[in-house]
Amino acid sequence: MKKLINGLLYSILLAVAAAGTAGVAHFIVQEQGRVELEAQQRRLAEAERAKEEAERARQEEAQRNENLRAVVVKELPVYQKKNITKIKAGRTQLLSYGDEVTVLQEDGLYTKIRTEQDDIGYVWSDCIGIRTDGQPPVAEPKVVVLDVNLSAHKQDDTGQAEEADALCLSLAAGLETVLEARGLETVLTARAGEGVSSSAKRAELANQIQADVMLQICLGSASSDAPNESGEAGGRDSEAADGGADSGDAAVHNQGTDGSTDTADDKAGSAAVYIATPDSQHPAAKRSADSKKLGKKIIKYYTKQTGIKNGGITESEDTVSISQSKMPAVMLRLGDLSDSTQYRKMKKETFQAKMIQGIADGIEAYLGSEGAQ
């Protein structure tokens, strides 16, 4: 009996042990499954986080690249405020062609930027462009400053002055497109609604960026010959305040390059070019010969395209933005504002395309000639 009881107890113990072992085994299997499931969930969560981080990094890089620009002129000053100021040695940061900057805020004619040295300031917007994606900069392009002489006839109460301003701004924008399509960099001193109020400052900008040529466009009238610069875009600063010559009666002060004095009758209904006199004390005097070559090219192609009478080249002391320029610089009078037939023609887009074509051809011909060297 005792053996039987011991056998039963032993059997029970074995059964209990077997059940315990099975339970433990089942628990272990369950625990392993839980651990593997949690591990898989962690891997999925980590993969998702990595994917999100990669996407965020991609977006940040895209945003950074979108805000990255490269300097497209020979030299570019960084201003502390939205104002063209003279370069001060040791105090004005100067950027060179190809330098990269980060755009912080675009504000019309000026752009707030951060340099590679983490300095923050303002630059002229047209002087920076889309970067080359890390590629070394190509050869420096030729730089053309397009200056628009606005409100030269501000005494006019017919509204024609405003129309003339709008026409000049439209032509400048169209000319910018055409010139850049031909591989030239263009810098505008004025756009619709805003511009630099001082002629001297416009010349200062062109000098600072070391432009290759400067062209001012305007609409004049035979009665006053060349328009003066007493009325400017975005303001009405006098040239005396800019340190330049006062505007005067151009028909009195302008002298033809052949030594004769041009009269209003000689210029009526014509296009004409104005350059600084070679014997003046202004900076432009040193480049007067080159300015004359530039003017000849522009007036030749412009009048050929438009059919407007060629009024020739006139030396003048009355165009401050031209006389203060250190590069070849000319003022082109597009035509006669008082010629109603001609002015109506200029309002048509097809004719404006001819005007732009002629000016662009003249600039390109000059820059491709020996005179541009």
Side-chain angles (χ1 to χ4, degrees):
M1 179 64 69
K2 186 178 181 180
K3 289 183 178 180
L4 178 59
I5 293 172
N6 288 337
L8 288 172
L9 291 173
Y10 184 71
S11 297
I12 292 171
L13 289 173
L14 288 176
V16 171
T21 300
V24 170
H26 179 69
F27 173 77
I28 292 173
V29 170
Q30 284 186 323
E31 185 65 16
Q32 287 177 338
R34 184 185 66 79
V35 171
E36 289 179 0
L37 179 60
E38 290 180 352
Q40 183 179 15
Q41 290 175 339
R42 283 196 300 272
R43 287 194 295 270
L44 290 174
E46 289 173 358
E48 186 65 25
R49 283 196 298 272
K51 182 179 179 181
E52 291 175 356
E53 290 176 0
E55 177 61 20
R56 184 165 55 252
R58 186 192 68 77
Q59 292 177 354
E60 289 176 353
E61 179 65 16
Q63 182 67 30
R64 191 180 75 87
N65 289 340
E66 183 180 343
N67 292 337
L68 210 57
R69 300 287 189 275
V71 176
V72 294
V73 294
K74 294 181 178 68
E75 195 167 81
L76 180 62
V78 179
Y79 306 122
Q80 294 305 305
K81 298 180 180 179
K82 292 188 292 182
N83 187 29
I84 297 171
T85 56
K86 291 185 179 297
I87 294 175
K88 298 180 180 179
R91 297 178 59 185
T92 303
Q93 183 175 10
L94 297 176
L95 303 176
S96 300
Y97 176 78
D99 286 349
E100 291 186 342
V101 299
T102 300
V103 172
L104 301 179
Q105 180 183 3
E106 296 185 79
D107 189 10
L109 298 176
Y110 295 90
T111 296
K112 188 176 183 179
I113 57 95
R114 181 174 60 245
T115 69
E116 292 179 288
Q117 293 75 36
D118 284 333
D119 294 318
I120 294 177
Y122 294 89
V123 297
W124 196 256
S125 296
D126 282 354
C127 295
I128 55 177
I130 302 299
R131 71 168 189 159
T132 56
D133 291 327
Q135 298 298 319
V138 296
E140 293 180 5
K142 298 291 185 180
V143 177
V144 179
V145 171
L146 298 178
D147 186 26
V148 182
N149 184 20
L150 299 176
S151 302
H153 298 271
K154 61 180 181 178
Q155 300 297 331
D156 173 51
D157 57 2
T158 66
Q160 192 177 44
E162 288 73 14
E163 289 184 3
D165 287 352
L167 173 59
C168 287
L169 286 169
S170 176
L171 289 171
L175 186 55
E176 175 188 34
T177 300
V178 171
L179 290 176
E180 293 197 343
R182 299 185 184 190
L184 302 175
E185 282 296 336
T186 57
V187 175
L188 272 62
T189 64
R191 293 186 183 275
E194 59 181 338
V196 183
S197 61
S198 162
S199 294
K201 285 187 176 181
R202 301 202 305 264
E204 182 72 22
L205 173 66
N207 292 336
Q208 288 178 356
I209 65 176
Q210 299 180 29
D212 292 280
V213 298
M214 182 174 185
L215 168 66
Q216 182 183 97
I217 60 173
C218 63
L219 275 168
S221 65
S223 61
S224 63
D225 200 9
N228 61 51
E229 294 182 301
S230 59
E232 302 297 340
R236 295 292 179 265
D237 301 345
S238 71
E239 297 311 325
D242 294 331
D246 289 329
S247 299
D249 182 358
V252 174
H253 296 295
N254 295 336
Q255 186 178 50
T257 54
D258 59 356
S260 62
T261 299
D262 296 309
T263 65
D265 289 340
D266 295 326
K267 298 292 187 181
S270 68
V273 164
Y274 298 85
I275 63 174
T277 57
D279 56 353
S280 74
Q281 300 300 312
H282 298 303
K286 295 181 179 179
R287 302 302 301 271
S288 179
D290 290 330
S291 294
K292 187 174 182 180
K293 292 177 183 177
L294 171 63
K296 282 184 176 180
K297 294 289 186 182
I298 291 176
I299 196 69
K300 171 186 174 182
Y301 286 94
Y302 178 74
T303 54
K304 179 180 178 181
Q305 278 287 337
T306 61
I308 297 175
K309 185 169 67 174
N310 188 336
I313 299 176
T314 297
E315 294 170 0
S316 172
E317 291 284 352
D318 299 320
T319 54
V320 175
S321 58
I322 299 303
S323 63
Q324 296 297 322
S325 302
K326 296 180 180 179
M327 74 291 301
V330 304
M331 172 193 280
L332 171 64
R333 190 185 68 186
L334 299 166
D336 190 344
L337 190 62
S338 60
D339 187 330
S340 59
T341 301
Q342 185 183 95
Y343 186 55
R344 281 196 302 271
K345 187 184 296 185
M346 287 182 177
K347 292 181 180 181
K348 298 180 180 179
E349 290 186 4
T350 53
F351 192 78
Q352 290 176 24
K354 292 181 180 180
M355 297 168 74
I356 291 170
Q357 176 78 22
I359 298 171
D361 288 347
I363 292 174
E364 190 174 35
Y366 170 77
L367 290 175
S369 69
E370 291 184 359
Q373 305 302 318

